[in-house]
Amino acid sequence: MTIDIGPKAAGPNATDGAGSAPGGGTILLLGAGRMGGAMLRGWLAQGVPASAIAVADPSPAPDLVELAARTGVRVNPADGAAVDTAPVDTLVVAVKPQMVESAAAGVQAALAPHTLVLSIMAGKTLADLRRLFPAAGSVVRAMPNLPAAVGRGATVAVAEAGCPADRKARAASLLTAVGSLEWLADEALVDAATALSGSGPAYVFYLVECLTRAGVEVGLPAEVSERLARATVEGAGALMGATGQPAAELRAGVTSPGGTTAAGLSKLMADDHLQSLLNATLRAAAQRAAELGGTGPKA
């Protein structure tokens, strides 16, 4: 079945304008789960016209169906039919890695020499993407993290050699709709970035769990301790974002000599135990990312 995605793709020299996405032209979003759906909402919030966006998802979630009905974003039928459409300027690949082989087969008609493929799949390399989408003009691999779902993501991206600056800028405009973006010069660094920012939210959530239990240990009611721990971590993050100061400066600013914070830090920072533990944590996560992506030794 054909999906009408509005204005015909504008080609490699497209410019922003009514009916077009950042960088010009049209977007086909392949997969609209948690992360793909977050990006879709970010684009719409930034003013990307719904007429410039189509979604290919064989099993669209109810909230996606509701969003499509409300905004006019086109979604393919839920029967798994292949997408048959004119070439698009940007194909955003947000399906699960194990589903991409079959999903890619259904969108080959959407590719052309001016098409940018922007992948947010874990574990699929630039070489994998070039094999899956051979007719595309350029390929960018990106890794957003979970807070992208609330517009506060930390994303890293790497482009294949020779990717034109305008297509990198197009990718950046789409990725920054859900948070910050860091470009990597070497694809080998993606595993390290995944260990830090990709898995990092889980480390922070665990910190809240530990602070909660520690609060109970010193006498606070469990529910009060949890609320205080959550609010403290949320507030500290907001303060870093608002001030832009280095974390070390903010830490020093709240640590009075001989005070309560200094007493606590004397335990937390003793013998660099926490730093050593985090070093080991990131090494383990990076190694596993390499294994899953087929670039490291199998455990």
Side-chain angles (χ1 to χ4, degrees):
M1 181 171 291
T2 299
I3 294 180
D4 174 11
I5 56 173
K8 183 175 171 56
N13 298 314
T15 57
D16 288 330
S20 64
T26 51
I27 303 168
L28 176 58
L29 175 61
L30 183 57
R34 174 179 288 184
M35 200 64 71
M39 294 188 72
L40 173 60
R41 287 169 175 78
W43 301 334
L44 293 171
Q46 285 199 347
V48 177
S51 60
I53 306 170
V55 178
D57 191 318
S59 301
D63 60 341
L64 174 61
V65 173
E66 186 277 329
L67 178 68
R70 177 163 46 85
T71 63
V73 170
R74 261 62 58 87
V75 179
N76 68 302
D79 58 6
V83 177
D84 178 14
T85 182
V88 294
D89 285 281
T90 306
L91 171 67
V92 180
V93 185
V95 295
K96 291 180 171 60
Q98 61 269 29
M99 297 172 56
V100 70
E101 296 282 347
S102 59
V107 296
Q108 296 301 315
L111 305 177
H114 69 267
T115 301
L116 165 68
V117 171
L118 172 59
S119 168
I120 62 170
M121 291 184 298
K124 294 299 182 183
T125 66
L126 290 171
D128 293 329
L129 297 169
R130 174 51 64 194
R131 175 183 61 81
L132 287 162
F133 305 102
S138 303
V139 174
V140 169
R141 175 187 177 188
M143 281 295 298
N145 65 359
L146 184 59
V150 293
R152 296 297 302 273
T155 299
V156 296
V158 61
E160 67 178 350
C163 182
D166 64 328
R167 291 178 195 170
K168 287 184 66 176
R170 191 192 311 166
S173 68
L174 295 173
L175 293 169
T176 53
V178 292
S180 66
L181 172 64
E182 298 287 343
W183 284 100
L184 300 176
D186 186 347
E187 188 176 13
L189 296 175
V190 171
D191 293 334
T194 298
L196 175 57
S197 58
S199 300
Y203 313 151
V204 176
F205 301 150
Y206 184 59
L207 173 63
V208 172
E209 292 179 63
C210 291
L211 283 173
T212 298
R213 289 192 288 266
V216 172
E217 179 69 19
V218 296
L220 287 171
E223 64 276 10
V224 173
S225 187
E226 181 179 9
R227 287 196 295 268
L228 287 174
R230 290 175 64 105
T232 297
V233 170
E234 291 169 6
L239 184 62
M240 280 196 296
T243 65
Q245 288 180 259
E249 288 184 9
L250 290 168
R251 171 176 56 80
V254 77
T255 308
S256 301
T260 58
T261 304
L265 286 174
S266 70
K267 301 298 183 183
L268 189 63
M269 300 173 70
D271 300 321
D272 272 345
H273 284 326
L274 179 59
Q275 185 63 67
S276 297
L277 182 60
L278 287 173
N279 290 347
T281 297
L282 263 65
R283 281 196 300 269
Q287 178 180 339
R288 186 57 179 153
E291 292 168 358
L292 293 173
T295 60
K298 301 298 184 288

